[in-house]
């Protein structure tokens, strides 16, 4: 690894932590329909506007001892963990595709940019689903726009011969959206299963079919393991409340991110 590569990876880690900080904000505000771009960050406990020194990823959390500077309310460790994880994922994604700023082809660089946007979408969808058990349509729409732009690039610049499969995927997505908005909403039925199918199509459109299949398989295995752990914990603590709702979207997003990194290491040798 050259000095330039090391500098690039350090920069990517820092950028990833910034994205991680944004993810925590987005996960909190998007379900509440609050602005995520123009409104300044604030402490959800005392509502005090945060300064630049309060929002430096990782360092602010450590320096403030995991507490709000103003009301001394403890900040959840998950915010720190998400920032660190985001930085690591950004670096691993670059390493997985053998990114070299001096020698990588245009195709690799474009895939890298769209890949980071794809992973960012997965992170936000996963965070909201874990908290609310819902797939946020606005975030999913952003992801579809990202994929559509990437498909246009593949068709115009790279002349991808597999472009027709993307058209089929987009047609299926349109059918699911119509089913969700026209039929299920009129009958006031739960649209979460359709949302999961839309998420599956989102995953399938960007990643290879094999990656999508492995992601779904890993999701199913994770859900089985999660339910077994819940059942064991419920037996050991009879008064413990166990939720019947499973954050399937969270499991799918995390499984897909892991599988995407693993297969990239294999493909980009």
């Amino acid at each position: 690894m050259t000095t330039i590569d090391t500098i690039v990876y350090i920069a990517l880690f820092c950028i990833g932590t910034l994205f991680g900080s944004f993810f925590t904000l987005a996960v909190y505000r998007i379900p509440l329909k609050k602005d995520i771009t123009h409104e300044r960050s604030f402490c959800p406990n005392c509502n005090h506007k945060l300064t630049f020194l309060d929002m430096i990823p990782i360092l602010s959390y450590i320096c403030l001892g995991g507490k709000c500077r103003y009301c001394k309310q403890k900040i959840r460790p998950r915010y720190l963990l998400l920032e660190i994880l985001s930085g690591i994922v950004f670096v691993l994604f670059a390493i997985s595709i053998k990114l070299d700023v001096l020698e990588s082809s245009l195709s690799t660089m474009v895939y890298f940019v769209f890949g980071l946007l794809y992973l960012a979408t997965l992170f936000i969808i996963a965070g909201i689903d874990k908290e609310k058990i819902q797939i946020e349509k606005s975030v999913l729409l952003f992801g579809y726009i990202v994929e559509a732009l990437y498909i246009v690039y593949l068709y115009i610049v790279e002349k991808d011969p597999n472009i027709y499969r993307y058209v089929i995927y987009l047609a299926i997505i349109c059918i699911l959206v119509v089913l969700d908005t026209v039929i299920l909403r009129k009958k006031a039925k739960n649209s979460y299963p359709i949302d999961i199918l839309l998420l599956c199509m989102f995953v399938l459109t960007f990643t290879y079919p094999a990656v999508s299949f492995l992601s779904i398989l890993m999701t199913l295995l994770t859900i089985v393991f999660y339910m077994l752990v819940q059942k064991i914990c419920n037996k050991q603590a009879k008064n413990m409340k166990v939720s019947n709702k499973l954050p399937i979207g969270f499991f799918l997003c995390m499984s897909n991110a892991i599988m995407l990194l693993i297969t990239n290491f294999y493909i980009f040798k």
Side-chain angles (χ1 to χ4, degrees):
M1 183 183 295
T2 65
T3 303
I4 294 178
D5 289 334
T6 303
I7 294 173
V8 169
Y9 291 145
I10 292 173
L12 280 175
F13 179 81
C14 294
I15 294 171
T17 60
L18 288 171
F19 269 82
S21 181
F22 172 75
F23 296 156
T24 60
L25 179 146
V27 168
Y28 172 74
R29 292 190 183 182
I30 289 177
L32 299 175
K33 309 303 179 185
K34 291 186 176 182
D35 187 88
I36 62 173
T37 56
H38 297 89
E39 185 180 354
R40 279 180 56 187
S41 297
F42 58 88
C43 172
N45 183 60
C46 65
N47 293 322
H48 196 288
K49 300 291 184 182
L50 302 182
T51 65
F52 172 76
L53 294 177
D54 300 321
M55 298 185 293
I56 302 174
I58 301 176
L59 294 178
S60 292
Y61 186 94
I62 296 173
C63 293
L64 294 173
K67 297 180 181 179
C68 172
R69 183 193 301 274
Y70 310 100
C71 66
K72 306 305 178 185
Q73 176 75 15
K74 285 188 176 181
I75 302 172
R76 289 183 177 182
R78 71 173 186 177
Y79 296 138
L80 173 65
L81 294 176
L82 183 55
E83 290 173 354
I84 296 174
L85 178 62
S86 298
I88 293 174
V89 169
F90 272 46
V91 173
L92 287 178
F93 186 67
I95 295 174
S96 71
I97 64 174
K98 305 295 186 295
L99 182 70
D100 188 322
V101 292
L102 299 179
E103 297 183 6
S104 291
S105 64
L106 174 63
S107 175
T108 300
M109 297 296 290
V110 171
Y111 174 73
F112 175 68
V113 172
F114 279 100
L116 290 184
L117 292 174
Y118 173 78
L119 289 171
T121 306
L122 288 182
F123 268 63
I124 297 175
I125 290 175
I128 295 175
D129 189 59
K130 188 175 185 300
E131 291 291 318
K132 306 292 184 180
I133 315 296
Q134 71 178 50
I135 306 300
E136 187 61 42
K137 293 289 200 313
S138 59
V139 182
L140 199 54
L141 176 60
F142 169 79
Y144 284 137
I145 292 173
V146 169
E147 289 183 337
L149 292 174
Y150 186 55
I151 291 171
V152 170
Y153 163 78
L154 291 177
Y155 178 71
I156 295 177
V157 179
E158 298 197 13
K159 310 296 182 183
D160 192 334
N162 297 317
I163 197 69
Y164 295 106
R165 77 179 179 95
Y166 296 121
V167 175
I168 294 173
Y169 294 158
L170 291 176
I172 294 173
I173 289 169
C174 291
I175 293 172
L176 291 174
V177 169
V178 171
L179 179 64
D180 178 36
T181 56
V182 177
I183 300 176
L184 292 181
R185 287 191 181 182
K186 283 186 177 180
K187 295 184 178 181
K189 290 187 177 182
N190 182 18
S191 64
Y192 190 69
I194 296 297
D195 292 341
I196 293 299
L197 289 176
L198 284 169
L199 180 58
C200 287
M201 292 307 303
F202 172 67
V203 166
L204 183 60
T205 302
F206 189 83
T207 58
Y208 296 103
V211 177
S212 302
F213 172 76
L214 291 173
S215 300
I216 294 173
L217 180 61
M218 183 177 178
T219 299
L220 294 174
L221 293 174
T222 304
I223 289 174
V224 171
F225 177 76
Y226 179 80
M227 292 176 68
L228 287 174
V229 171
Q230 272 200 327
K231 192 172 183 179
I232 294 171
C233 292
N234 192 32
K235 285 184 178 181
Q236 293 178 348
K238 294 183 178 180
N239 295 326
M240 180 180 176
K241 291 184 179 180
V242 179
S243 174
N244 293 324
K245 296 182 178 180
L246 290 172
I248 300 174
F250 168 78
F251 293 132
L252 178 58
C253 289
M254 293 298 97
S255 298
N256 184 244
I258 293 171
M259 286 300 171
L260 179 61
L261 291 175
I262 292 174
T263 51
N264 275 350
F265 276 106
Y266 175 77
I267 294 170
F268 292 85
K269 287 185 177 180

